Each structure stands twice: as C-alpha cells, then as structure tokens.
Amino acid sequence: MTHNDGYLLDNRQTEAGRRFEALSALFDPATFRHIEGFGIGLGWRCWEVGAGGTSVISWLARKVGPTGQVVATDIDTSWAAQAAQPPIEVRTHDVGTEEPPGEDFDLVHARLVLVHVPDRDKALHSMIKALRPGGRLLIEDADPALQPLSCPDEHGPEQRLANRLREGFRTLLAERGADLSYGRRLPRLLREAGLSRVEADAYFPLTSPACAALESATIRQIRDQLISAGLATDEDIDRHLANIASGTMDLATAPMISAWGRKE
C-alpha cells in the first residue's frame, strides 16, 4: 500500500488486527490454492506486497523453506514485523513510489493493495519488473462496485441499515482515491502489461462468522469518519453493531477477484 495520510483502514488501529484475522479466514484458502497451482516449492523467492498481517507470509515461509526468501513489504509493518525471522524479511516500502525491494522473484503477490494505491499502474509495473523470466504475479483485489451491498437479501430494516452504512464506507473509500471497480479490470491490465497465460476467478463470501467479524471490525475502525462525514449517527452504528452481534445477519463482502499471469 502506498503512504497516504488519508488511508481509511489504518494498520495502527486496534481493529486492524481483527480485520486481518477475518480477511485471513475468508481469503487465505483461495490465495493459497492459486499459489499452490504455480508449483511453489523449496528455494523460491517471493515478494509479498502490502503484507499487513502474518498469515500469508508465514505460509509462504513454510513453502519456500530455509533456502528460500520471503520479502514482506508495507508502509506500516507493525503487524508483519512479528514474523521477521529467516526466511522472512520485513521492510517498510511504498510500492507506488519506490523501486522494488529486489529482482528475480519467482512470485510476487498483493491482496487488497492496488485498489488503494494512487499510482496503480506504476505499482503494477514495479511488481512485474521484480519478477524473473517465468515468474508469476498474483494480484487479488475487491470490486465493491460489482457487488455493493452488505446484505444482498435486503428484507428488513436491519439489512437496509447495513447497506446504508456500506454505501457510506464506499463513499469514504472513493473520497480517498480507492478505485471501486478495479478488480474486474485486472485480467486486461495484466495482459496489457505483457504477462502471458493470464487467468482470473472470483470468490464472493455471502455469510459466515468471518464475514460478521470483518463487518464489525471495519465499522468500528471507520466509525468516527462515518459520523464526521454525516454518513451515519452514533445511534446508527450502535444499532448495526448490535444487529451483527445477534448472529441473524447474512453479511457479504465485495467479490475478491484474483488474476494471475507469467512473465516471459
């Protein structure tokens, strides 16, 4: 992620850890399945862009073993730093403005990163530059514009409130430069950048404990911004958090679109 004082989901907030746990529960299985399909093994060199938490880099480290390397970068490494032991190296790095932290990587991966980066094209080309010939790039980003609702089954006032707050969340993201329809363009962007064997798929969690945990942590994290922007009241947010805690809400995420390709 690129450094931006207006970044909405600040890693320094307490709720960030809860968000990382929920995101891991929701999306790690798909991420790991894709990387397994590339044939990851001992000795691979990997760059994890916008590492955030530790689940992906720890898994990569087990796969590449002591002869491999996992370079984990983020503008705020406070959560990833706890995993900094060989073969994991953690660096503070801005993918949107700085040169890659190395070259000849076998794998470069970013999840929920580029949608927030102002200079997405530069970041994408930086990641491709860092790959060795034959190396794989995996980019995974949400597409909130493709499915904008927190509750696709909007059958009552609780669901209508959830969807109104999700709309407020999207408004805040857009005001900070997030591209809410970026995910769907990834296959084309990877081909236009010169990658071959480009493929993509999408995963759309509709309801699960992790969906509820992610929604609760996110709303708590952006509470002050929603209120100060006039997008919600304290009462709205307290009611929504109580609705989530009731366990009766079918809460969805935006679709996660994964796109991958090979550098020739």
Side-chain angles (χ1 to χ4, degrees):
M1 298 176 189
T2 194
H3 182 73
N4 181 352
D5 290 338
Y7 181 54
L8 191 61
L9 299 169
D10 191 340
N11 284 3
R12 290 168 290 185
Q13 293 176 281
T14 303
E15 292 83 2
R18 300 187 183 99
R19 291 189 73 256
F20 291 148
E21 290 175 359
L23 290 168
S24 295
L26 288 167
F27 298 119
D28 278 1
T31 296
F32 298 163
R33 172 173 56 83
H34 291 128
I35 296 175
E36 288 273 20
F38 303 153
I40 188 172
L42 296 177
W44 272 43
R45 298 185 65 243
C46 306
W47 176 18
E48 179 68 17
V49 182
T54 62
S55 67
V56 174
I57 58 177
S58 297
W59 182 87
L60 289 172
R62 292 193 293 273
K63 290 294 180 179
V64 306
T67 60
Q69 182 186 29
V70 178
V71 179
T73 64
D74 206 329
I75 58 167
D76 182 345
T77 60
S78 54
W79 293 95
Q82 59 190 294
Q85 58 182 346
I88 297 171
E89 177 183 350
V90 178
R91 300 188 192 180
T92 302
H93 179 265
D94 183 340
V95 70
T97 62
E98 298 181 59
E99 287 295 305
E103 56 185 19
D104 294 329
F105 287 103
D106 299 286
L107 169 71
V108 177
H109 172 243
R111 187 173 74 191
L112 292 172
V113 175
L114 291 189
V115 68
H116 299 289
V117 175
D119 196 342
R120 298 173 190 89
D121 289 342
K122 182 175 181 179
L124 179 61
H125 284 86
S126 176
M127 288 187 276
I128 293 172
K129 178 182 178 182
L131 287 167
R132 67 166 177 81
R136 301 299 189 103
L137 177 69
L138 172 62
I139 305 293
E140 301 182 291
D141 256 309
D143 194 316
L146 192 61
Q147 195 296 108
L149 301 177
S150 179
C151 295
D153 179 20
E154 191 183 76
H155 68 275
E158 297 87 353
Q159 290 73 29
R160 287 192 289 273
L161 173 60
N163 288 339
R164 178 161 62 84
L165 294 180
R166 180 66 62 87
E167 182 180 4
F169 181 33
R170 296 199 315 276
T171 297
L172 293 175
L173 286 171
E175 288 175 350
R176 286 158 175 78
D179 185 342
L180 302 183
S181 59
Y182 187 70
R184 73 191 73 178
R185 295 200 294 275
L186 284 171
R188 172 173 58 82
L189 294 174
L190 266 56
R191 284 196 305 272
E192 291 177 350
L195 296 185
S196 65
R197 305 182 191 179
V198 172
E199 298 182 52
D201 63 16
Y203 176 54
F204 172 32
L206 186 58
T207 185
S208 74
C211 284
L214 179 61
E215 176 73 5
S216 179
T218 300
I219 290 295
R220 293 178 190 276
Q221 194 165 5
I222 65 172
R223 178 181 191 129
D224 291 345
Q225 292 95 326
L226 286 169
I227 293 170
S228 63
L231 296 168
T233 65
D234 268 318
E235 181 183 10
D236 289 335
I237 293 172
D238 287 342
R239 188 164 68 251
H240 180 51
L241 291 173
N243 291 339
I244 297 170
S246 74
T248 61
M249 300 283 285
D250 291 318
L251 294 157
T253 71
M256 174 73 75
I257 297 178
S258 303
W260 59 95
R262 183 178 186 273
K263 183 177 181 179
E264 293 300 324

